[in-house]
Amino acid sequence: MIYPKIALAQSIIEICSAKGITNIIISPGSRNAPLTIGFAQNPDFKCYSIADERCAAFFALGIAQQTKLPTAIVCTSGSALLNYYPAVAEAFYSQIPLIVISADRPQSKIDIGDGQTIRQENVFQNHSVFNANLTEDASVENDLKINKAIETAILQKGPVHINAPFEEPLYEMVDRLSVQSKITHSEEIIGTKIIENLEDFTSLWNSAKRKLVLVGVDEANSIDQETIDNLAHDPSIVVLTETTSNLHHPSFINSIDTLITPFDDADFKAFQPEILITFGGMIVSKRIKAFLRKYKPKEHWHIDTLRAYDTFSALTQHFVMQPNDFFKELLAKTAFTESTYFAETDKIYELRKIRRNEYLSKIQFSDFKVFEKVIESLPIQSQLQISNSSAIRYAQLIDIDPSIEVFCNRGTSGIDGSTSTAIGSAVGSGKQTVFITGDIGFLYDSNALWNSYIPENFKIILINNGGGGIFRILPGHEEKPVFNTFFETSHNLTAEHLAKMYQMNYFSATNEDSLTRNIEALYEANDKPCILEIFTPTFENDVVLKQYFKELT
């Protein structure tokens, strides 16, 4: 076995191995050479080389998202480290374990004018769960910090930063370890399985005639079928699920905006819950957030082993436990409550679905029509990754087959690393992965394709409407040069030459016939990754979408 000569690098590598860290994403550099040498030549690790640090970090986030295990990213000193920050923030808010290992200059070289040198210690302090600032020599103190960082990433499901100063020479190797690293062990704490003061909450639950369950980003199969059926059959419960919740039942409402956008004040008052239960991650729908902030529930209970955001300024109880454990205990002690809450809501929603189908059957070729056709074409049992902005919002309006798992970077809701995350997730899961993205998000993260690990069956469906279409939907849109240049970012760019440069299959569509034909070609081509670019009419998309909500009643 070959090891780096620098003892501190040996310690980091040995402790990562002992902690079961297997996926290491390395961005080339000189100062991190001791780490690169050690990780890349150790069979305990699967190493990936990705040059762009921002892409590397989101790629790692995608792997960690799928494996549920910490993934390490390794970079050189200087501004390289700062390029990790968007993915670090996303991991922080999405509760994904990410281990940032940065090489640094020795402390004596900081702020004296040395090259590739910045103040690296605690650089992610506001968006990390632990920071290990190591000293130059290997030591028990350093070992304890490294152990603590990795354990914290696992226990608190978030990003940690290990900053390691190395002095030259950096490339020397040895065939034996010069350190015996100290390994510590910690027990995972996953919250309680008991609801304290159960009788009080049971009483509140049984007396409430309007109970709303709102589910954000969540993993598939996280809730038992018995619990799902119980929630679906109680006449006093309405369950609202988002596309990213991966929770399905025919009685659940899976397009929140379709239901509530046409509501007037009387409708909102009738829909106002007495008890609101939330679990899962961030919510996409701005309309449901606005509704619950104005028409507050008497009780808001959030279930999460780590955090409870008071999203609606109404939080009354945080249950530090797994949602499945919470519902199993609560529902075993409660009874169905006589109510018309579900029946009245379901009647409205069923009419909305009829109106939606009628509308989709008559509209012109547009973003909305494209999303209908693209989503109904997705292979069963596949994984769907969606970029932010209008892409995830359109997806919220269309029914998706329950066998398809859906993911989106909703921690910070940024467009900056969606493609890189999707590729990492495809590598991490091994599943057929389809990535739906808009043109601005795709172009912004185009370096994601500078990646030697993209699976041959990876599909990108790129909806190109010539700019940031979401800004046409938001209030304040005016067809003026300032809007087109500084908000929408109008352009005439396409992905065709990028596909050629990165040796990907390329298909395009400009109408419904060519879309139908090329979607079929997209899924038939499995010899290399593919891009299907769909060009939609810039000036009609927002009109079609706005008219949809008007025709729902």
Side-chain angles (χ1 to χ4, degrees):
M1 183 91 75
I2 300 297
Y3 304 97
K5 185 176 181 180
I6 294 175
L8 179 60
Q10 292 181 14
S11 294
I12 293 170
I13 293 160
E14 289 303 298
I15 295 170
C16 283
S17 177
K19 295 288 184 184
I21 310 303
T22 56
N23 290 301
I24 314 291
I25 289 74
I26 301 170
S27 292
S30 181
R31 188 62 48 170
N32 58 333
L35 295 168
T36 302
I37 291 166
F39 280 124
Q41 302 201 59
N42 188 321
D44 290 345
F45 302 108
K46 171 66 175 175
C47 294
Y48 303 84
S49 176
I50 295 183
D52 185 320
E53 283 86 4
R54 188 179 72 189
C55 294
F58 277 108
F59 176 82
L61 184 138
I63 292 177
Q65 176 197 83
Q66 295 300 310
T67 62
K68 310 296 185 292
L69 298 171
T71 302
I73 47 180
V74 178
C75 71
T76 192
S77 64
S79 61
L81 176 62
L82 302 183
N83 287 293
Y84 283 161
Y85 213 134
V88 169
E90 177 63 35
F92 180 78
Y93 287 109
S94 286
Q95 298 185 9
I96 294 176
L98 204 61
I99 300 172
V100 177
I101 307 175
S102 58
D104 198 358
R105 280 355 193 219
Q107 192 63 40
S108 61
K109 299 288 181 68
I110 309 299
D111 288 339
I112 65 165
D114 208 26
Q116 280 189 278
T117 306
I118 64 171
R119 300 172 188 177
Q120 294 185 195
E121 292 187 357
N122 302 317
V123 74
F124 303 122
Q125 187 164 11
N126 287 337
H127 297 95
S128 57
V129 294
F130 189 81
N131 291 275
N133 297 306
L134 308 182
T135 54
E136 189 176 344
D137 297 321
S139 66
V140 172
E141 182 182 3
N142 276 339
D143 287 355
L144 292 175
K145 289 179 182 178
I146 299 164
N147 278 274
K148 179 71 171 177
I150 297 171
E151 290 164 6
T152 305
I154 295 167
L155 297 177
Q156 295 190 27
K157 298 179 182 177
V160 298
H161 179 204
I162 300 171
N163 192 59
F166 299 133
E167 183 57 282
E168 297 178 1
L170 302 169
Y171 293 88
E172 292 185 336
M173 294 173 277
V174 294
D175 57 10
R176 291 184 185 178
L177 290 170
S178 60
V179 298
Q180 186 170 357
S181 301
K182 184 175 181 62
I183 309 298
T184 62
H185 302 280
S186 62
E187 294 185 9
E188 185 174 0
I189 302 170
I190 56 172
T192 179
K193 290 193 175 184
I194 299 172
I195 300 174
E196 295 182 10
N197 304 317
L198 177 59
E199 290 185 6
D200 294 340
F201 293 108
T202 299
S203 177
L204 288 168
W205 183 263
N206 284 333
S207 63
K209 294 185 179 295
R210 297 192 306 274
K211 298 185 275 276
L212 186 64
V213 178
L214 175 60
V215 191
V217 177
D218 207 5
E219 300 171 17
N221 306 312
S222 64
I223 304 295
D224 291 345
Q225 189 62 46
E226 182 181 0
T227 294
I228 292 172
D229 293 338
N230 198 318
L231 294 171
H233 295 148
D234 189 324
S236 68
I237 298 175
V238 171
V239 179
L240 303 180
T241 63
E242 295 221 308
T243 298
T244 50
S245 72
N246 294 297
L247 186 67
H248 304 279
H249 190 279
S251 295
F252 293 173
I253 292 170
N254 59 6
S255 181
I256 298 170
D257 288 358
T258 296
L259 172 70
I260 70 171
T261 298
F263 276 4
D264 58 21
D265 186 62
D267 296 322
F268 280 126
K269 286 178 179 176
F271 191 53
Q272 182 177 11
E274 297 165 66
I275 296 176
L276 168 68
I277 291 187
T278 55
F279 65 93
M282 301 294 193
I283 300 295
V284 174
S285 172
K286 293 181 69 173
R287 290 181 173 94
I288 195 65
K289 286 185 277 193
F291 160 63
L292 290 168
R293 285 165 182 163
K294 183 175 180 180
Y295 301 87
K296 297 184 190 299
K298 294 177 183 176
E299 297 279 332
H300 173 200
W301 305 344
H302 185 71
I303 315 160
D304 191 283
T305 58
L306 293 171
R307 301 179 196 169
Y309 293 121
D310 192 5
T311 305
F312 316 109
S313 300
L315 187 68
T316 54
Q317 186 67 35
H318 174 203
F319 293 93
V320 185
M321 56 196 305
Q322 297 287 354
N324 199 55
D325 294 332
F326 170 84
F327 284 116
K328 283 173 71 174
E329 185 173 12
L330 178 71
L331 298 180
K333 301 293 184 181
T334 57
F336 286 179
T337 304
E338 187 175 334
S339 171
T340 59
Y341 189 51
F342 170 78
E344 291 172 354
T345 306
D346 187 59
K347 182 180 179 181
I348 296 168
Y349 189 57
E350 288 301 315
L351 288 172
R352 296 271 200 271
K353 289 194 287 186
I354 293 170
R355 296 285 183 271
R356 177 177 63 188
N357 293 338
E358 291 173 348
Y359 187 71
L360 283 167
S361 69
K362 68 180 184 181
I363 61 174
Q364 67 196 81
F365 188 73
S366 59
D367 283 352
F368 199 6
K369 171 61 76 172
V370 165
F371 268 87
E372 178 200 23
K373 296 301 181 185
V374 163
I375 286 176
E376 71 181 15
S377 77
L378 295 170
I380 61 170
Q381 304 295 334
S382 63
Q383 179 189 114
L384 172 62
Q385 290 275 341
I386 309 178
S387 71
N388 275 301
S389 278
S390 45
I392 186 60
R393 286 173 170 81
Y394 274 111
Q396 297 272 97
L397 304 176
I398 309 293
D399 292 341
I400 294 180
D401 188 280
S403 73
I404 297 169
E405 292 183 67
V406 184
F407 299 88
C408 179
N409 285 348
R410 290 306 298 175
T412 61
S413 306
I415 64 169
D416 36 6
S418 295
T419 312
S420 298
T421 303
I423 295 169
S425 72
V427 171
S429 70
K431 283 188 173 184
Q432 161 77 78
T433 300
V434 180
F435 174 53
I436 301 177
T437 182
D439 48 311
I440 298 297
F442 174 80
L443 293 168
Y444 199 92
D445 194 27
S446 60
N447 265 4
L449 305 183
W450 185 13
N451 183 314
S452 302
Y453 312 100
I454 306 176
E456 290 182 345
N457 64 353
F458 183 73
K459 315 292 183 187
I460 296 175
I461 298 177
L462 165 59
I463 299 163
N464 189 340
N465 54 28
I470 192 169
F471 291 103
R472 293 182 167 270
I473 302 166
L474 299 176
H477 161 237
E478 290 184 75
E479 207 64 56
K480 293 182 177 179
V482 167
F483 171 81
N484 294 336
T485 301
F486 295 103
F487 288 92
E488 187 180 37
T489 322
S490 300
H491 67 86
N492 294 302
L493 303 174
T494 84
E496 183 175 4
H497 294 292
L498 277 173
K500 184 176 181 180
M501 181 169 73
Y502 291 113
Q503 299 182 330
M504 303 177 75
N505 288 318
Y506 177 80
F507 309 94
S508 67
T510 55
N511 54 44
E512 202 164 335
D513 287 342
S514 59
L515 175 60
T516 300
R517 184 171 62 254
N518 283 300
I519 281 180
E520 187 174 334
L522 177 79
Y523 291 117
E524 286 177 352
N526 286 310
D527 57 326
K528 53 187 176 182
C530 300
I531 298 175
L532 168 60
E533 186 167 20
I534 307 165
F535 296 92
T536 62
T538 302
F539 300 105
E540 285 81 13
N541 288 318
D542 60 312
V543 177
V544 170
L545 183 62
K546 289 174 182 176
Q547 187 62 29
Y548 166 65
F549 293 114
K550 292 178 182 178
E551 296 199 16
L552 283 172
T553 53

